[in-house]
Amino acid sequence: MRKPRDFDTELKALEDKARELKTRKVQQLGELVIATGADQLSSDELAGALVAITETKDTAKREAWAKRGVMFFESGSRRTASASERNVRSAPAQPGSAQSPAGGTGSQ
């Protein structure tokens, strides 16, 4: 006879994993902000830029920002290049996620 599943234990394990993933994502976003120099902006400026980027529907602008982001990571021009920051790029991009606003294309 099979042992019954412990749904409470499985649920707790899933919640722990979700919490761990969220913590890792927050850490990586913070590292990205620092690596790009965006930590020099005020919270209001940074939030405004991110809102503008997420509202941008112009595909050409988004592609240009993505290319600039790729160049940024490949150039190694980041201010701090700790091992954890090098892993920022390996995190899967979320649909509609913010991309580098720099590049002279502006937002909308």
Side-chain angles (χ1 to χ4, degrees), residues 50-58 62 108:
L50 291 172
V51 168
I53 291 167
T54 58
E55 292 174 347
T56 299
K57 303 298 182 217
D58 185 334
R62 294 181 71 92
Q108 292 186 334

Side-chain angles (χ1 to χ4, degrees), residues 84-104:
S84 60
E85 288 177 9
R86 282 191 288 274
N87 292 331
V88 169
R89 187 164 184 236
S90 66
Q94 300 296 320
S97 64
Q99 296 165 354
S100 175

Side-chain angles (χ1 to χ4, degrees), residues 37-46 49:
D39 59 325
Q40 301 300 312
L41 301 172
S42 72
S43 296
D44 291 339
E45 291 171 319
L46 183 57

